[in-house]
Amino acid sequence: MVEALVATAVAVGSAGIVYVMAAARVVKQYERGVVFRLGKLRGSVRGPGFTLILPFADRLHKVNMQIVTMPVPAQDGITRDNVTVRVDAVIYFKVVDPADAVIQVEDYRFAVSQMAQTSLRSIIGKSDLDDLLSNREKLNQGLELMIDSPAMGWGVQIDRVEIKDVSLPETMKRSMARQAEADRERRARVINADAELQASKKLAEAAGVMSQQPAALQLRLLQTVVAVAAEKNSTLVLPFPVELLRFLERAAPLPTAEASAAGAPAAEAVGAEEGGAEAPAPEAPGAQAHSELGMEGPLAEPPSIS
């Protein structure tokens, strides 16, 4: 009798242990449990910790509540200004309603991935190239709204969407490089011209001050000589005053041809005023020498040399 009771107690204990082992479940802190009893949603969502279900009748689905980081494959598209680009992104989302994530959609990860790809292509077609390159914050917000609207019905909340990279064709890269180079050159020329204008104004002011004090020009000349001589050079350059060249140019006499040409009209004018008589023709140099020696008669012809 006692042995039968002991055997019964052992059997009941063993059955209880087997039942507990079959019904026991552990839900982690970052998970939530959704229980289906005979295919129907049973009660509320099970929280983290130890929980029991009905063996062979209940089925527990664990849903991860952590933020999921999912890369969006690169998508080829044409922007609004007809530029072919290749854009990839990354999406951050999490499950806020475990029951809807299990019931409303077959695989919420795959659904979010496909929605992100289609939304990325749509946002590429609605944007310009400059917006994709410089105004990504606005595009990220628009992309997040496009994905978050259908995802709310799946018990999923989109936390953040970021565009990672925008790949451009090589021809477009070269064109943008030439454009940037031309813009930089234009800015450099404008800055250089502005510097020249400011320098010319300062030089004009300095010239006005030096014109009032002639000694200042000499001091500036000596400073220039000292600056040139400070280096170890074998040649010393001395500036020559321009004023001295102008003074020598004004003091130089006229050439002989120009003086004779200027004197002939003056002599004719004087003769005309005295009586209007014709001026005697100038004598030849040989005749003048013959008269000075007191010789009369015509000059002898020089003997011929045979």
Side-chain angles (χ1 to χ4, degrees):
M1 187 64 181
V2 177
E3 294 179 356
L5 293 175
V6 171
T8 303
V10 171
V12 172
S14 300
I17 294 174
V18 172
Y19 176 81
V20 170
M21 292 180 62
R25 295 291 186 272
V26 176
V27 180
K28 297 180 181 179
Q29 182 66 36
Y30 55 85
E31 293 177 341
R32 297 295 183 270
V34 179
V35 179
F36 290 92
R37 177 167 296 176
L38 299 177
K40 185 178 180 180
L41 183 63
R42 175 73 167 81
S44 60
V45 177
R46 303 292 178 89
F50 182 80
T51 184
L52 295 173
I53 62 174
L54 185 63
F56 309 108
D58 294 346
R59 186 178 297 274
L60 179 66
H61 289 272
K62 298 179 181 179
V63 180
N64 193 337
M65 304 295 291
Q66 292 177 316
I67 296 178
V68 181
T69 303
M70 178 182 294
V72 180
Q75 303 296 315
D76 294 328
I78 300 177
T79 60
R80 191 166 56 182
D81 49 355
N82 297 326
V83 179
T84 304
V85 294
R86 186 178 180 87
V87 183
D88 58 349
V90 59
I91 181 172
Y92 303 88
F93 66 94
K94 62 181 178 180
V95 177
V96 294
D97 192 342
D100 289 343
V102 176
I103 297 173
Q104 300 297 332
V105 63
E106 180 181 2
D107 186 353
Y108 66 89
R109 290 175 179 265
F110 182 74
V112 170
S113 176
Q114 295 300 313
M115 179 58 66
Q117 294 180 33
T118 55
S119 300
L120 183 57
R121 289 186 178 182
S122 177
I123 207 72
I124 291 173
K126 295 178 181 179
S127 305
D128 295 331
L129 179 61
D130 294 337
D131 294 335
L132 288 175
L133 296 177
S134 60
N135 197 12
R136 294 189 180 181
E137 189 66 27
K138 182 179 179 180
L139 297 180
N140 293 337
Q141 294 177 0
L143 190 59
E144 179 180 347
L145 291 176
M146 293 177 65
I147 303 174
D148 190 56
S149 298
M152 289 299 295
W154 305 334
V156 177
Q157 179 183 355
I158 305 301
D159 188 70
R160 193 171 184 180
V161 181
E162 293 287 344
I163 296 177
K164 290 197 304 182
D165 188 22
V166 178
S167 300
L168 301 175
E170 293 297 329
T171 56
M172 180 58 64
K173 290 182 180 179
R174 289 194 294 267
S175 299
M176 295 177 65
R178 288 195 299 268
Q179 179 184 0
E181 184 179 358
D183 184 67
R184 291 288 181 181
E185 185 177 358
R186 178 185 61 84
R187 292 170 59 184
R189 289 183 178 181
V190 171
I191 293 173
N192 190 17
D194 190 14
E196 291 292 340
L197 178 60
Q198 295 180 8
S200 63
K201 292 181 179 180
K202 295 298 180 181
L203 289 175
E205 294 178 3
V209 174
M210 289 184 180
S211 62
Q212 298 176 1
Q213 298 292 335
L217 184 59
Q218 299 297 329
L219 292 176
R220 183 59 182 168
L221 177 61
L222 293 176
Q223 290 178 358
T224 305
V225 172
V226 171
V228 173
E231 300 180 359
K232 296 180 180 180
N233 295 329
S234 59
T235 304
L236 179 62
V237 179
L238 292 177
F240 197 78
V242 180
E243 288 77 5
L244 182 57
L245 292 177
R246 294 177 179 174
F247 174 76
L248 295 177
E249 181 181 358
R250 291 194 298 267
L254 293 175
T256 306
E258 295 180 0
S260 60
E268 292 177 0
V270 172
E273 290 178 359
E274 289 180 355
E278 294 182 358
E283 298 181 354
Q288 184 179 1
H290 181 71
S291 63
E292 289 179 356
L293 293 176
M295 298 177 64
E296 297 180 357
L299 294 175
E301 295 180 359
S304 61
I305 299 174
S306 59

